[in-house]
Amino acid sequence: MTRALYATDASVCQIQPVGVLLPRHTDDVQAALEAAARYRIPVLPRGGGSSLAGQAVGAALVIDFTRHLDAVVEVNAAERWARVQPGLVLDDLNAHLAPHGLMVGPDPASSNRATLGGMVGNNATGTHSILYGNVVNHVREIRALLADGSPATFGALDDAAWEARTRAPGLEGDLYRGLDRILRTQRAVIARDTPTHWRRNSGYRLEYLLDRVHTYAGEVEQTTRNVAQVLCGSEGTLAVSTEITLSLVPRPKQTAVGVVHFHTRGEALRAVTTILETRPSAVELFDGVAIAQTRRAPGFAPLLTFVEGTPGAVLLTEYYGESAHELRAHLDALDRALERAGQGYAVVRATQPAYIRNVWTVRKESLGLLMGVKGDYKPVAVVEDAAVPVEHLADYIDELDRLLAETGTRAAYYAHASAGCLHVRPFLNTKDPREVGKLREISMGAMQLVARYGGSVSSEHGDGIVRGWLNPYFLGPELCDVYRDLKRTFDPDGILNPEKILDTPPVADNLRLGPAYRTIPLREELDWSAEGSFAQAVELCNGNGACRKLRSGTMCPSFMVTRDEEHSTRGRANALRAVMTGVLPPEDLTGRRMYEVMDLCIQCKACKTECPSNVDMARLKTEWLGWY
């Protein structure tokens, strides 16, 4: 049962792990790695399991850091840094930092369940990436365990310190000697073939060890090298983090949001460059499909106080300020800029905290809201992570629209317009082999467009299984060979989260809801016609993990107390689906183990409103109790 619960993340993928470990302390992790190295067992470090590219699933020993290894180890407010364990959730750290007037810069939408270890793993960024870039721009030091279980500390090194590390014994010394060789012999390939877009997550970040690096703020000279930056976006394939030290940023004094309304999505995208001239802190797109889906979600529809009528799209434009007067001046400047350009037909101002909270609550859960559509066609995460220079965004999306139209596919669009990254979700039925064929066709076509516009295929969600297969085409064979050398240097036996960035299996081989998906016959006593069937009601759970939040709302009460995956709404849905699809035997449906999973659901209905996909576990449990 536990293995079934950890076979999925928030992606389209499903792979059964060989086992699950919930370590109480770092020694447990080290012992596990030593044993895994001895017996050549793959190891997969995991945070909240909200990964969108399949990097948190695999035929490996899954190590879940969230249950116990979630401490704030140290905060230095004067120097603006914090040291934490990898299982700590971002919102928990930011709550701890609030009295100091500080916060973590990168802010993924899943901040109420995303862990710091996971954020390093996929080099997270978020809504405010135009201000703060990715985690790679903030990491100071990482204490980690190497593939054989030996400890290592990665921080900034000058030339003398780097040279000393290359003379060290053991795997750490081998690692630095290998890195030094790669940098000396492959410098030209790294410099030539690494994409230059600042929001890059494809492959590994080896360019940060060169003499000159590209950051979101521009090209800068570098006098030190920090291997911790190479771990950012490595998806657990190089080392296992045990402590992470991050630089912090000041918390904004006040904020305001201007919600700019447009008749079409294209009009909104062509207004982004105009809006950026007013120096906003964020510009997020929310399209008409997402608005319509939000209005169908009972827990979120009342929050749409900031949308007037039925626009084709809105741009959520945020400003930081020291006072209400300064914020009004920013919003006035926004009005003038739009008027001069003849763009947008209305701007709704959100200046009160509750109003602003509505805006960002809906935006943060937009993925889950989209995934809550009924039926077999779901908005699939496959090309959702591409980013292009913002001046090319509208043209890129126009061409992507044509590609989607040629395949007969509609899509939803949302997210980081200010950074040239729209999360584009094609609606596909992965149970249909013809639709699965579109996965590859759309992915390859989108990748070719991204390359032509000088962008990045992965910009924050990572490569994983979903996009790893594209890297040889996008990055080129020579750079991929360099990355394979890097992987071998860190992980000689290839046991750390294998097949996630390079040499990945075809995504169609590991689909959660693929063409071979079948469910056992069930006797339904309740009316499930609105959802299609009991099975399809369970399938509404897409793994986004909103039920794992601890600081807001009610869902899920039992998880808030136990912090055990099986006592989350996602865990219960996965358990039911595992039996319905034959992962577990049919008799387990009413067995003792399933009873333990379902027992602590108190049927409070919080999931019906707070789960953005509207998974109604209370009603599902009522049907199940009848069978039991």
Side-chain angles (χ1 to χ4, degrees), residues 71-91:
V72 178
V73 180
E74 184 180 3
V75 172
N76 188 317
E79 297 180 10
R80 292 184 181 172
W81 57 261
R83 190 163 78 249
V84 303
Q85 291 181 318
L88 180 66
V89 171
L90 175 59
D91 277 1

Side-chain angles (χ1 to χ4, degrees), residues 50-51 79 92 166 171 177 225-226 252 259 310 425 432 475:
S50 56
S51 314
E79 297 180 10
D92 291 351
T166 64
L171 184 56
R177 285 185 285 274
R225 286 176 282 187
N226 190 343
V259 183
T310 55
R425 291 296 196 111
D432 183 338
L475 301 172

Side-chain angles (χ1 to χ4, degrees), residues 36-280:
R38 188 179 313 126
Y39 297 107
R40 304 287 178 90
I41 299 169
V43 173
L44 196 168
R46 172 165 158 146
S50 56
S51 314
L52 289 166
Q55 57 265 59
V57 297
L61 173 65
V62 172
I63 302 179
D64 181 352
F65 285 80
T66 61
R67 182 77 175 274
H68 303 292
L69 293 175
D70 62 344
V72 178
V73 180
E74 184 180 3
V75 172
N76 188 317
E79 297 180 10
R80 292 184 181 172
W81 57 261
R83 190 163 78 249
V84 303
Q85 291 181 318
L88 180 66
V89 171
L90 175 59
D91 277 1
D92 291 351
L93 175 57
N94 280 335
H96 187 89
L97 297 171
H100 302 289
L102 298 171
M103 65 180 190
V104 176
D107 57 340
S110 56
S111 61
N112 60 5
R113 64 265 196 197
T115 65
L116 275 300
M119 288 174 62
V120 167
N122 74 342
N123 193 24
T125 179
T127 298
H128 297 93
S129 61
I130 55 172
L131 292 182
Y132 304 126
N134 296 64
V135 165
V136 70
N137 306 116
H138 301 266
V139 68
R140 287 191 174 205
E141 181 181 277
I142 293 178
R143 296 180 184 178
L145 296 170
L146 301 180
D148 63 353
S150 58
T153 299
F154 300 114
L157 302 175
D158 60 20
D159 289 344
W162 179 274
E163 178 64 26
R165 293 291 178 97
T166 64
R167 296 192 298 271
L171 184 56
E172 185 176 8
D174 291 342
L175 169 60
Y176 277 93
R177 285 185 285 274
L179 282 172
D180 197 65
R181 172 185 52 78
I182 291 170
L183 293 173
R184 280 186 288 102
T185 62
Q186 303 297 333
R187 175 180 296 272
V189 173
I190 298 167
R192 182 192 69 211
D193 293 348
T194 300
T196 56
H197 193 278
W198 63 267
R199 220 174 188 271
R200 183 184 80 80
N201 250 10
S202 302
Y204 293 105
R205 262 117 306 263
L206 258 181
E207 73 275 17
Y208 279 84
L209 299 184
L210 299 181
D211 296 331
R212 184 179 287 275
V213 299
H214 294 273
T215 74
Y216 67 102
E219 194 178 72
V220 297
E221 291 286 355
Q222 181 168 279
T223 57
T224 60
R225 286 176 282 187
N226 190 343
V227 177
Q229 293 181 298
V230 179
L231 299 188
C232 294
S234 66
E235 304 182 3
T237 63
L238 302 181
V240 178
S241 301
T242 57
E243 281 190 3
I244 300 159
T245 303
L246 289 172
S247 295
L248 306 173
V249 299
R251 186 178 292 271
K253 295 287 193 301
Q254 295 186 41
T255 66
V257 180
V259 183
V260 189
H261 290 52
F262 299 88
H263 295 296
T264 68
R265 187 187 65 244
E267 291 174 8
L269 295 181
R270 296 193 185 281
V272 173
T273 52
T274 300
I275 292 174
L276 287 176
E277 293 172 4
T278 67
R279 303 179 66 83

Side-chain angles (χ1 to χ4, degrees), residues 262-272 285 287 312-313 315 343 393-395 397-398 401 413 422:
F262 299 88
H263 295 296
T264 68
R265 187 187 65 244
E267 291 174 8
L269 295 181
R270 296 193 185 281
V272 173
L285 181 119
D287 82 343
L315 289 176
Q343 295 170 322
L393 179 59
D395 292 334
I397 293 298
D398 282 348
D401 271 346
Y413 302 74
L422 285 196

